[in-house]
Amino acid sequence: MKPAPPAIRLATRDDREAVVRTLVRAFDADPAVSFLLRGDAGRARAFHTVFDVAFRRWTLPVGGAWLAEGGSGAALWAPPGQWKAWRAWPDLLSLAGAVGVTRLPRILPILQRAGSKH
């Protein structure tokens, strides 16, 4: 008999750590995310920072943060027309640190191009 799929629900502010932990684990070896974020000793903190900001600033406010039972999965998205990059302005320095300040000139054009597709 096939096990039942985990229950999935909208995440709340109280789910912050579970969502971030799940996404950091899920994207740890993702080539695109690994390319965008720093690869030195600050890498683990960079992953945590980016997913924390994405949760708190970009997706939770628009009802786009989801968590599977037991933290077995998580998803973040913004509904059409709801992606607002400016929501992360209070975390701009942290995000720059997650990329690596010296890497910003190379990474920013990529992020701007991707952002234009939102």
Side-chain angles (χ1 to χ4, degrees):
M1 181 177 276
K2 192 174 180 179
I8 300 170
R9 62 174 175 78
L10 274 172
T12 68
R13 218 170 260 296
D14 293 339
D15 296 316
R16 178 179 174 186
E17 286 305 315
V19 169
V20 171
R21 181 177 47 250
T22 300
L23 292 170
V24 166
R25 189 174 59 239
F27 285 91
D28 181 56
D30 182 81
V33 177
S34 292
F35 172 78
L36 292 172
L37 301 181
R38 61 191 304 152
D40 59 10
R43 181 177 188 272
R45 183 75 191 138
F47 271 65
H48 186 275
T49 296
V50 166
F51 288 114
D52 183 57
V53 170
F55 174 75
R56 289 184 300 107
R57 303 287 188 193
W58 291 319
T59 60
L60 186 67
V62 297
W66 297 82
L67 182 64
E69 180 180 12
S72 60
L76 302 178
W77 66 76
Q82 296 297 309
W83 176 259
K84 308 292 184 207
W86 58 262
R87 285 189 180 119
W89 77 265
D91 297 293
L92 198 56
L93 289 178
S94 296
L95 289 171
V99 170
V101 177
T102 60
R103 298 177 68 240
L104 280 174
R106 190 173 95 195
I107 300 300
L108 278 178
I110 295 167
L111 295 175
Q112 288 172 333
R113 193 165 174 201
S116 72
K117 302 299 180 190
H118 276 276

